[in-house]
Amino acid sequence: MCGIIGYVGYRDAWPIIIKGLKRLEYRGYDSAGVALVDQGMHIYKSAGKVSHLEQAAEGSDFNGHTGIGHTRWATHGVPSDRNAHPHSSGDGQLAIVHNGIIENYATLKEELVGRGHTFISETDTEVLIHLIEDIQQEERVNLAEAVRLALTQVVGAYAIAITNAAHPKQLIVARKGSPLVIGVGENEYFIGSDASPIIEYTRNVIYLKDREIAIINGNELVVKTIENEIQTPYIQQLEMRLELLEKAGYDHFMLKEIHEQPRSVKDCMRGRIYPLEGNIQLGGIKDYGDKLRQAERIIIVACGTSWHAGLVGEYLIEEFARVPVEVEYASEFRYRNPIISEKDIVIAISQSGETADTMAAIRLAKEKGATIFGICNVVGSSIPRLTHAGVYTHAGPEIGVASTKAFTGQVTVLTLMALYIAQLRGTIAQNKLVQLLTELEEIPALIEQCLTTDEATRYIANEIKDVRNCIFLGRGTGFPVALEGALKLKEISYIHAEGYPAAEMKHGPIALIDEEMPVVVIATKNASYEKVISNIQEVKARKGKVIAIVTAGDTEVRKMADFVLEIPAADDAFLPLLATIPLQLLAYHTALLRGCNVDQPRNLAKSVTVE
Ligand code: AGP
């Protein structure tokens, strides 16, 4: 997810764009750049934050009343000056900024290279501006028409803004799948990925719809569809406070990120699953097919929530690909002189890509000859540069310290990897793969349904907000979910919480059960359902308070639990992607009721870069 901004009007564009980019920095901060139109196109861009760009551009005279800006969350191409937006056409007359992913950029790039275009960056965005330039020249049409024709060839998501040196008062924007807002001022227009950079100048906004293009020429604004149908733009009044805008109207980044999960899981699967063909494409590791076929063991190293995702990976890889998997805390793995061979594959999981212990574990495994794959969220961070290959989660920036959408992104990648390796090793029947991929494609919609437990979790949070301890229980893939739910609760509400395999209760923890001890049980319909019911009865017999995550329509558990949270039925393999959602919400609401700082809990950091 990136932030884009634009301005055309009577004011100097530079200060408006730089200030606006700072408002959008929560959307991505790998690199930043500005294009100004003033007797030609002037582009200033650099890796790093907006403040770095400001310093780098210090002393330059920034004229121009039209401009565009971008703060990047890298998806294609590592964070660098070269890959920073804006990108320009071959003749330097056009500049573009883009938020989204163009899935067919490689094919388009190949065709353009064949027609003599040369490229500077590794980005999909640069391909788009060259395609527009190519169409403008080949079809002899104006820029707006060239943009429209180009977008009919694009597969993927975009919000774009384009400036034109030949027409300094022109600004062309378009969107499909990524947000874009137009601010309508007095003799001036603003554009932004959301309204946060616009609100201080005007509250009159137009939310461009999918497949719409807006062409601004000085004071004139025309909106049309990609199908060339003129639209009447609807101008509405912005009521929201600026501070809320950066959180897209949510009170906290964590809540926003919990609610982003239908989209982030969908983005994670985008371009990677083909259910009808029963096919999975993981471009990041496609060159390691032999290694995966011959692997005798897979070792997963990670910390915290990422380690919980690794446990889910263990269940799924062993279940589908029949390869032995060991999941290690990176901090333990690195110090215990582990036995590693060239036949081992190590998967390092890290949202930030900067966790010191995980990096040390990677270095150790690499020295001992293992093949290392990374599963990271931050493109171009340290871990992807350390590993041989990897798969990004594409969850977008996760600002809340408590990991939520990154976890479901990691679990999604591990699910894809398990099925991918199973396909390579021939351990899964094609019809089973088709069935699972067809179900997996529906998971974002099922996550949406899980989010409707928000009200119920708020109610339950009020019941448990003053407890001092809490236990989470699960079996099978429900066990890592129990661990993750306990971590969420403890790290943001400061209630002591532990996760256990449900069967472990009688080996000690049951001594803790009394009326003061809420027990959260993952009790969805699966092979161990009856056994979990016995565990619930054991808890109830000791006056424990049971909060059960159940499959929608369950009547059995409902009779014995104090509270139930319903999630839709799905294959057991996908349970972690669903059951985790109400536990994230429960932790969020409990922390809020306890007056805790949800986005920045005490003693914690978003990335633990120290050992
Ligand atoms: C999870 O909510 C925590 N913020 C923490 O456990 C985190 O998962 C852990 O520090 C690992 O971070 P990483 O994924 O960036 O490596």
Side-chain angles (χ1 to χ4, degrees):
M1 165 165 96
C2 306
I4 70 171
I5 184 166
Y7 175 76
V8 56
Y10 58 89
R11 300 185 223 218
D12 282 343
W14 172 264
I16 293 173
I17 288 172
I18 283 293
K19 192 174 179 184
L21 286 178
K22 287 177 182 172
R23 294 229 190 283
L24 292 174
E25 230 167 8
Y26 72 90
R27 301 177 63 87
Y29 31 74
D30 292 330
S31 61
V34 175
L36 295 175
V37 186
D38 173 47
Q39 271 102 40
M41 190 72 70
H42 305 278
I43 292 182
Y44 311 88
K45 60 183 185 178
S46 70
K49 295 193 142 197
V50 177
S51 52
H52 179 79
L53 171 71
E54 222 174 357
Q55 285 150 22
E58 194 133 359
S60 315
D61 56 336
F62 303 114
N63 302 314
H65 304 298
T66 302
I68 52 179
H70 186 272
T71 183
R72 185 173 183 236
W73 177 264
T75 54
H76 293 81
V78 296
S80 65
D81 296 357
R82 201 158 52 92
N83 289 330
H85 300 213
H87 291 287
S88 51
S89 52
D91 63 6
Q93 290 298 295
L94 307 176
I96 187 172
V97 291
H98 166 224
N99 171 29
I101 295 177
I102 295 176
E103 290 169 33
N104 62 330
Y105 84 100
T107 313
L108 295 171
K109 185 170 188 172
E110 211 173 307
E111 289 163 11
L112 290 164
V113 168
R115 290 211 289 276
H117 289 256
T118 55
F119 293 89
I120 299 165
S121 80
E122 308 156 278
T123 65
D124 52 347
T125 307
E126 190 184 10
V127 172
L128 179 53
I129 196 64
H130 277 254
L131 176 62
I132 291 165
E133 175 189 25
D134 191 70
I135 291 172
Q136 198 176 10
Q137 289 165 359
E138 295 299 312
E139 309 294 329
R140 299 190 182 288
V141 293
N142 67 26
L143 179 59
E145 182 58 5
V147 170
R148 187 184 73 78
L149 293 172
L151 294 179
T152 60
Q153 296 182 41
V154 161
V155 176
Y158 55 80
I160 55 173
I162 298 167
T163 48
N164 180 359
H167 296 276
K169 285 281 174 205
Q170 187 173 62
L171 182 59
I172 296 177
V173 299
R175 67 151 292 187
K176 180 164 80 77
S178 296
L180 197 67
V181 186
I182 301 172
V184 184
E186 292 293 322
N187 307 317
E188 58 186 357
Y189 287 97
F190 305 81
I191 67 110
S193 295
D194 61 38
S196 56
I198 295 171
I199 193 168
E200 65 185 276
Y201 304 103
T202 177
R203 287 184 175 275
N204 301 322
V205 294
I206 298 165
Y207 284 91
L208 212 54
K209 298 192 193 72
D210 265 0
R211 304 175 68 81
E212 284 189 342
I213 303 167
I215 300 117
I216 299 168
N217 279 300
N219 285 337
E220 189 201 78
L221 166 73
V222 172
V223 176
K224 60 169 64 174
T225 64
I226 293 185
E227 292 72 30
N228 219 6
E229 295 141 358
I230 298 293
Q231 304 295 299
T232 306
Y234 168 58
I235 299 177
Q236 60 188 33
Q237 282 293 316
L238 256 187
E239 302 305 328
M240 212 176 270
R241 295 193 324 272
L242 172 64
E243 184 261 342
L244 275 184
L245 278 168
E246 289 165 344
K247 299 179 183 109
Y250 291 100
D251 291 337
H252 298 94
F253 280 113
M254 181 181 177
L255 188 61
K256 170 172 167 281
E257 288 149 12
I258 290 171
H259 283 267
E260 278 181 345
Q261 290 175 107
R263 193 252 329 135
S264 55
V265 166
K266 190 172 184 176
D267 282 351
C268 181
M269 295 193 285
R270 192 190 294 276
R272 290 171 169 168
I273 64 167
Y274 301 87
L276 296 180
E277 298 91 332
N279 193 11
I280 297 166
Q281 286 187 8
L282 294 177
I285 57 173
K286 71 178 184 335
D287 298 336
Y288 290 82
D290 290 343
K291 279 281 182 194
L292 287 163
R293 271 187 280 276
Q294 294 149 21
E296 290 176 356
R297 180 178 58 161
I298 291 176
I299 301 168
I300 296 177
V301 294
C303 303
T305 283
S306 300
W307 185 80
H308 297 152
L311 283 178
V312 176
E314 174 183 27
Y315 282 92
L316 299 181
I317 294 170
E318 291 200 348
E319 167 69 16
F320 294 122
R322 310 309 295 158
V323 179
V325 178
E326 291 167 23
V327 183
E328 300 270 359
Y329 279 117
S331 55
E332 287 302 304
F333 180 79
R334 64 177 293 198
Y335 290 119
R336 56 159 240 264
N337 191 17
I339 300 161
I340 299 171
S341 85
E342 290 77 18
K343 284 209 175 292
D344 287 331
I345 286 181
V346 171
I347 299 176
I349 307 173
S350 175
Q351 187 287 130
S352 62
E354 301 296 344
T355 299
D357 282 325
T358 309
M359 285 169 66
I362 292 167
R363 289 193 185 97
L364 174 67
K366 220 171 170 180
E367 279 158 25
K368 292 176 177 267
T371 301
I372 325 284
F373 294 155
I375 298 178
C376 291
N377 191 38
V378 180
V379 175
S381 53
S382 301
I383 287 179
R385 287 203 293 267
L386 264 180
T387 55
H388 293 104
V391 181
Y392 283 116
T393 51
H394 290 320
E398 188 176 68
I399 309 297
V401 165
S403 191
T404 50
K405 64 176 182 173
F407 172 74
T408 47
Q410 291 163 351
V411 170
T412 301
V413 168
L414 286 160
T415 306
L416 295 178
M417 270 189 176
L419 296 173
Y420 183 76
I421 299 168
Q423 192 176 39
L424 281 176
R425 296 171 74 108
T427 54
I428 188 167
Q430 194 59 12
N431 61 339
K432 177 71 175 168
L433 186 56
V434 169
Q435 175 232 318
L436 287 169
L437 291 179
T438 305
E439 270 201 49
L440 187 55
E441 196 170 41
E442 292 310 310
I443 289 296
L446 300 187
I447 292 176
E448 198 71 61
Q449 287 181 43
C450 295
L451 290 168
T452 61
T453 59
D454 185 66
E455 200 50 47
T457 56
R458 198 197 304 257
Y459 177 82
I460 298 169
N462 199 45
E463 296 292 312
I464 68 167
K465 68 185 187 319
D466 300 321
V467 301
R468 297 174 57 76
N469 302 288
C470 187
I471 284 188
F472 288 70
L473 302 176
R475 285 177 182 256
T477 50
F479 167 45
V481 174
L483 292 173
E484 176 57 13
L487 177 60
K488 287 290 96 52
L489 186 67
K490 80 177 91 169
E491 69 174 328
I492 64 173
S493 74
Y494 317 143
I495 292 172
H496 172 242
E498 292 185 70
Y500 276 100
E504 271 300 297
M505 277 292 288
K506 35 191 185 305
H507 301 282
I510 200 158
L512 292 171
I513 303 300
D514 60 22
E515 56 276 11
E516 298 303 315
M517 171 69 85
V519 180
V520 180
V521 187
I522 317 299
T524 48
K525 282 276 175 57
N526 61 19
S528 53
Y529 180 68
E530 293 309 326
K531 296 192 180 57
V532 171
I533 283 190
S534 314
N535 297 139
I536 291 174
Q537 285 161 339
E538 289 157 14
V539 172
K540 290 304 293 175
R542 289 152 182 88
K543 300 191 178 49
K545 197 183 288 180
V546 172
I547 301 161
I549 309 287
V550 301
T551 305
D554 182 296
T555 51
E556 200 59 35
V557 172
R558 188 176 285 280
K559 290 177 202 153
M560 53 188 84
D562 299 84
F563 307 98
V564 292
L565 292 163
E566 291 199 342
I567 62 172
D571 189 286
D572 228 22
F574 308 141
L575 170 73
L577 291 169
L578 303 179
T580 309
I581 306 300
L583 301 186
Q584 294 169 346
L585 290 166
L586 179 62
Y588 170 79
H589 289 302
T590 306
L592 221 48
L593 290 168
R594 291 169 64 93
C596 299
N597 181 336
V598 169
D599 281 335
Q600 284 148 2
R602 69 184 183 195
N603 312 337
L604 286 176
K606 185 58 189 169
S607 172
V608 182
T609 54
V610 295
E611 300 176 2

